[in-house]
Each structure stands twice: as structure tokens, then as C-alpha cells.
Amino acid sequence: MDTDPQHTSARNTGTEDRLRRVWARLLRHEEIGPDAEFFESGGSSLLASRLLLRVRREFGVELTLEEVYEHRTLRQMAALVDAGAPRTGAAA
């Protein structure tokens, strides 16, 4: 059983799947696994800026560019979004 709270939290809330769709639109490909890294998957600083805007719209969470660089994988970023996600006001 996976007891990593970051992994479990993201998986249980569906954040990882929703964030995967955001990444897929930005990166223009669908094959994005949980351990995919944003920049290794074709992301750039410009796309990272667009990602910040889309995460704010989709989840109601304000990430920083620094956090995108520190939490590069889909799984890590989903856990970060869950940690900062408001319980009301975010688009579903």
C-alpha cells in the first residue's frame, strides 16, 4: 500500500488526472505519466507561466514559477495543488 501522503492525496482527489489534462493541452501530447517532468516533457518557462494561469483557473490555487521548478513531476505538482487547494470557489 502506498503511504506517501503526497501521492495518496493527489490520487484520491483526482487532482493528478485533472492536472494531467492541463499539462496535455499545454504540451500538446497525451502520454503523460505521474512521474513525467514538466520541462523534460517539452515545457518551457513560457509554458510554465501559462501553466500557472491555468492551475489558478482550474483549481483556484496560486502557484509560483519557483514551485513549478521545484515540483517538476505531475505527481509532485498535483500534491502541491492539493496542499494549497481551497475547498470552495475552484472550478470543478
Side-chain angles (χ1 to χ4, degrees):
M1 179 176 194
D2 188 351
T3 58
D4 178 357
Q6 289 183 338
H7 180 243
T8 303
S9 176
R11 183 180 59 232
N12 287 345
T13 63
T15 302
E16 194 173 298
D17 288 333
R18 290 172 59 199
L19 188 58
R20 178 181 288 112
R21 289 190 294 271
V22 171
W23 280 32
R25 285 190 302 268
L26 284 172
L27 300 173
R28 296 190 174 152
H29 63 83
E30 297 294 321
E31 298 299 319
I32 300 171
D35 296 315
E37 292 195 14
F38 183 76
F39 297 100
E40 288 182 6
S41 299
S44 64
S45 58
L46 179 60
L47 286 176
S49 296
R50 292 176 62 196
L51 174 65
L52 296 177
L53 178 62
R54 291 187 185 188
V55 166
R56 186 175 47 159
R57 285 181 185 163
E58 177 74 20
F59 300 97
V61 174
E62 298 257 356
L63 299 181
T64 66
L65 193 54
E66 182 178 344
E67 289 172 320
V68 172
Y69 279 94
E70 290 174 356
H71 300 85
R72 292 175 177 243
T73 70
L74 179 65
R75 180 176 291 150
Q76 291 170 341
M77 197 175 296
L80 182 65
V81 168
D82 274 344
R87 298 299 163 219
T88 61

